[in-house]
């Protein structure tokens, strides 16, 4: 027995000494690395390229997969990391909130961008998410440049990058849509540029960023670079190969002015004048191509990724949204737009390899929201779907208010499926706002097209952690949101009967791709549920910088080395 305990003690002592020596070796190794100037956190990428594809559903990856080449989406996914179960986790799912959420790491409840437009209950007026009349247009004589991020209440990952490097990092943001450029750039971007259509076809900006366009942009605009896309839009593959989409001529799709049916080819030169000139390009895949052309010009002229201090290029491809709204999920136009986007992604990656260096940059790709299938198409397929008729709803509400309260003035505003009540009037009438809200909710539940109604008190005080209620709570901002939030049934939208839209907390609007690729990324995939608010924290860990100051997301550990 004594021999047994002796051997046991020797074994334990050996293990203890082994662990101690190992720990000491690790500590000494870290000290040697530190004294030698070795960064134990790893070197950050020289350039981060953030890509937001406007209105991209997740199933556009899988549905069109066989049509993609090997060096666009397939390269990003094959050599990168794919989140297959990635969602927004809030509503409204629209462009302004989407871009803000991607870059701030939080939801509208935190960053305050509660829609593209919304009713401002303090000024009794409608506001635009990036509209700013205190700024002047740069590069145009119109008011198309009067924009800034002043309504964004938190910092972005691009802000934190600039702060980390004492403003030595360069941040450039590019999109056809002004909000798709302004919000990703954050408050401190060196520049944000967007496309002015009409007779201009120029890239413009705001006095928030600069007093005048850089010379290289003036020369680029003068070259009429967008003119190369004034061509006939034909299917890029054989028409009979587009079996993943419906017939070309169906009643569910919109048409350009001057067309009699929504069919290929679309003769852009013939349609030019009747459809706003250069604005016509926005609703074609050529809008994405001209966006990339300009982004690559910025990459070169601004020398992005040219040194060891990380720069950031934010690109939003907006034309996918214009095409989707006009033609709908099941259209050949949408399919062809994504096939051509895949070619543009290949072009982008090839140029990044050349100018920055393969393995020296990081890319992420996601969307700002998904989209609903066209309800008229679903209805014809015997799937429950329909449309909202808000004018009739408002008429009925006015009758209710007149009968119940003796006035129709209690309703001050209606935006993004939210009702705003007049609190001053309620005080004058000695009405309890919570009781009035409950009465409105009870009345609204009687209406066709209303599935659920929530009061602001329910969302503010409720402990919702999952499901529709949690999504609505994450989209509710106490300072800016309304008194009642209306939820239509699934596949019911406030839109025309051709084309489609988005904005709901339903899965067709929330499920989007998330791909990480390049330096610092572990190749792989996950079906674990991730959220749009997780992107910025993941980047912050990868870059070794502070999280955006309102961030509520969680880094995705599977992505990181």
């Amino acid at each position: 027995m004594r021999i047994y305990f002796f051997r046991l003690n020797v074994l334990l002592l050996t293990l203890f000494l082994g662990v101690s020596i190992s720990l000491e070796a690790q500590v000494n190794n870290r000290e040697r690395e530190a004294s030698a100037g070795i960064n134990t956190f790893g070197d950050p990428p020289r350039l981060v390229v953030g890509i937001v594809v406007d209105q991209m559903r997740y199933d556009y990856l899988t549905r069109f997969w066989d049509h993609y080449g090997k060096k666009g989406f397939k390269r990003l996914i094959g050599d990168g990391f794919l989140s297959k179960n990635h969602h927004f986790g809030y509503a409204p799912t629209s462009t302004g909130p989407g871009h803000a959420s991607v870059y701030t790491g939080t939801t509208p409840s935190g960053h305050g961008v509660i829609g593209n437009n919304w009713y401002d209950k303090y000024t009794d007026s409608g506001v635009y998410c990036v509209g700013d009349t205190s700024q002047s247009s740069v590069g145009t004589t119109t008011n198309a440049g009067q924009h800034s991020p002043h309504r964004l209440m938190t910092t972005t990952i691009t802000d934190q990058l600039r702060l980390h490097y004492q403003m030595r990092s360069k941040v450039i943001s590019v999109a056809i849509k002004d909000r798709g450029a302004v919000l990703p750039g954050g408050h401190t971007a060196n520049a944000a540029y967007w496309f002015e259509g009409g007779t201009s076809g120029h890239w413009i900006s705001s006095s928030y960023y600069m007093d005048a366009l850089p010379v290289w942009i003036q020369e680029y605009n003068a070259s009429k670079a967008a003119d190369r896309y004034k061509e006939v839009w034909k299917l890029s593959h054989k028409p009979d190969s587009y079996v993943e989409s419906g017939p070309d001529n169906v009643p569910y799709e919109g048409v350009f002015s001057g067309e009699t049916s929504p069919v290929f080819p679309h003769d852009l030169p013939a349609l030019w004048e009747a459809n706003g000139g250069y604005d016509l390009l926005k609703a074609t895949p050529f809008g994405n191509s001209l966006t990339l052309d300009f982004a690559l010009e910025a990459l070169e002229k601004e020398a992005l990724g040219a040194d060891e201090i990380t720069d950031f290029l934010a690109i939003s491809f907006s034309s996918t949204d214009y095409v989707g709204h006009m033609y709908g999920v099941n259209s050949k136009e949408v399919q062809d737009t994504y096939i051509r986007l895949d070619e543009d992604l290949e072009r982008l990656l090839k140029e990044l390899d050349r100018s920055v260096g393969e393995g020296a940059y990081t890319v992420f790709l996601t969307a700002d929201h998904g989209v609903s299938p066209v309800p008229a198409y679903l209805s014809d397929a015997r799937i429950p779907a329909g449309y909202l008729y808000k004018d009739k709803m408002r008429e009925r509400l006015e009758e209710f208010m007149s009968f119940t309260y003796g006035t129709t003035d209690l309703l001050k505003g209606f935006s993004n499926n939210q009702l705003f009540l007049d609190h001053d009037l309620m005080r004058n009438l000695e009405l309890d706002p919570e009781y009035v809200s409950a009465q409105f909710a009870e009345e609204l539940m009687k209406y066709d097209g209303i599935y659920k109604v929530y009061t602001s008190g329910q969302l503010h005080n409720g402990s919702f952690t999952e499901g529709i209620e949690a999504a609505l709570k994450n989209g509710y901002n106490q300072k800016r949101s309304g008194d009642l939030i209306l939820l239509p049934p699934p596949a019911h939208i406030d839109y025309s009967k051709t084309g489609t839209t988005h904005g709901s907390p339903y899965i067709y609007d929330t499920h989007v791709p998330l791909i990480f690729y390049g330096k610092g990324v572990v190749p792989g995939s996950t079906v674990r549920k991730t959220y749009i608010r997780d992107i910025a924290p993941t980047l912050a860990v990868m870059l070794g910088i502070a999280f955006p100051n309102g961030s509520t997301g969680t880094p995705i550990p599977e992505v990181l080395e």
Side-chain angles (χ1 to χ4, degrees), residues 402-452:
S402 180
F403 178 79
T404 308
Y405 308 109
T407 178
T408 60
D409 295 335
L410 278 176
L411 182 59
K412 289 192 71 176
F414 190 5
S415 64
N416 300 305
N417 287 334
Q418 298 181 24
L419 300 184
F420 295 78
L421 302 181
D422 190 330
H423 285 249
D424 290 334
L425 180 56
M426 283 189 282
R427 277 191 291 271
N428 291 338
L429 296 176
E430 298 183 343
L431 297 172
D432 177 20
E434 290 188 13
Y435 180 69
V436 172
S437 294
Q439 284 185 305
F440 266 80
E442 184 179 358
E443 170 68 15
L444 287 161
M445 284 299 299
K446 302 173 186 176
Y447 298 0
D448 292 338
I450 299 297
Y451 183 49
K452 294 182 179 181

Side-chain angles (χ1 to χ4, degrees), residues 249-558:
N249 191 6
V250 293
Y252 315 117
E253 300 176 9
V255 295
F256 290 120
S257 294
E259 289 185 326
T260 57
S261 59
V263 298
F264 282 98
H266 299 287
D267 189 346
L268 303 191
L271 299 168
W272 195 259
E273 296 300 328
N275 292 273
Y278 289 100
D279 282 326
L280 180 60
L281 295 178
K282 298 177 182 180
T284 75
F286 305 134
N288 291 332
S289 298
L290 69 87
T291 299
L292 181 58
D293 291 346
F294 183 77
L296 294 181
E297 191 78 4
L299 177 70
E300 177 187 350
K301 300 300 185 182
E302 297 289 349
L304 299 176
D307 57 30
E308 301 306 312
I309 296 176
T310 304
D311 295 326
F312 204 113
L313 175 61
I315 308 172
S316 181
F317 290 112
S318 307
S319 289
T320 42
D321 185 68
Y322 289 105
V323 174
H325 275 296
M326 187 167 181
Y327 295 103
V329 172
N330 208 42
S331 66
K332 284 180 169 57
E333 282 81 1
V334 162
Q335 182 169 354
D336 194 64
T337 297
Y338 278 89
I339 290 171
R340 291 173 181 268
L341 176 61
D342 181 63
E343 296 170 354
D344 280 330
L345 292 175
E346 177 180 344
R347 187 157 60 101
L348 170 62
L349 294 173
K350 183 178 180 180
E351 183 57 30
L352 290 173
D353 289 343
R354 187 196 68 80
S355 63
V356 183
E358 190 170 358
Y361 62 87
T362 302
V363 174
F364 75 85
L365 182 148
T366 191
D368 56 350
H369 52 75
V371 70
S372 169
V374 178
Y377 165 72
L378 293 179
S379 184
D380 286 348
R382 297 187 293 183
I383 294 172
Y387 296 88
L388 308 180
Y389 300 98
K390 292 186 175 177
D391 289 341
K392 292 182 179 179
M393 183 187 304
R394 181 149 192 161
E395 289 176 10
R396 192 169 169 183
L397 264 180
E398 288 180 350
E399 292 177 3
F400 160 75
M401 288 187 287
S402 180
F403 178 79
T404 308
Y405 308 109
T407 178
T408 60
D409 295 335
L410 278 176
L411 182 59
K412 289 192 71 176
F414 190 5
S415 64
N416 300 305
N417 287 334
Q418 298 181 24
L419 300 184
F420 295 78
L421 302 181
D422 190 330
H423 285 249
D424 290 334
L425 180 56
M426 283 189 282
R427 277 191 291 271
N428 291 338
L429 296 176
E430 298 183 343
L431 297 172
D432 177 20
E434 290 188 13
Y435 180 69
V436 172
S437 294
Q439 284 185 305
F440 266 80
E442 184 179 358
E443 170 68 15
L444 287 161
M445 284 299 299
K446 302 173 186 176
Y447 298 0
D448 292 338
I450 299 297
Y451 183 49
K452 294 182 179 181
V453 181
Y454 298 88
T455 67
S456 59
Q458 288 174 315
L459 295 181
H460 181 63
N461 299 316
S463 300
F464 307 117
T465 58
E466 60 182 19
I468 295 293
E469 290 79 11
L472 293 175
K473 182 179 176 66
N474 287 334
Y476 171 78
N477 184 279
Q478 186 179 7
K479 191 172 185 67
R480 293 179 174 173
S481 294
D483 296 278
L484 294 114
I485 291 80
L486 315 183
L487 182 66
H492 284 67
I493 62 174
D494 179 25
Y495 208 67
S496 67
K497 291 190 177 181
T498 59
T500 189
T501 194
H502 46 82
S504 80
Y506 293 120
I507 201 158
Y508 49 76
D509 281 339
T510 69
H511 189 195
V512 300
L514 173 60
I515 306 168
F516 284 96
Y517 170 88
K519 187 173 180 61
V521 176
V522 177
S525 65
T526 184
V527 295
R528 181 177 63 83
K529 197 167 191 177
T530 57
Y531 292 96
I532 210 77
R533 61 183 180 268
D534 298 335
I535 296 173
T538 303
L539 288 171
V541 171
M542 184 185 297
L543 297 172
I545 65 176
F547 288 21
N549 62 17
S551 177
T552 56
T554 302
I556 305 170
E558 299 96 322

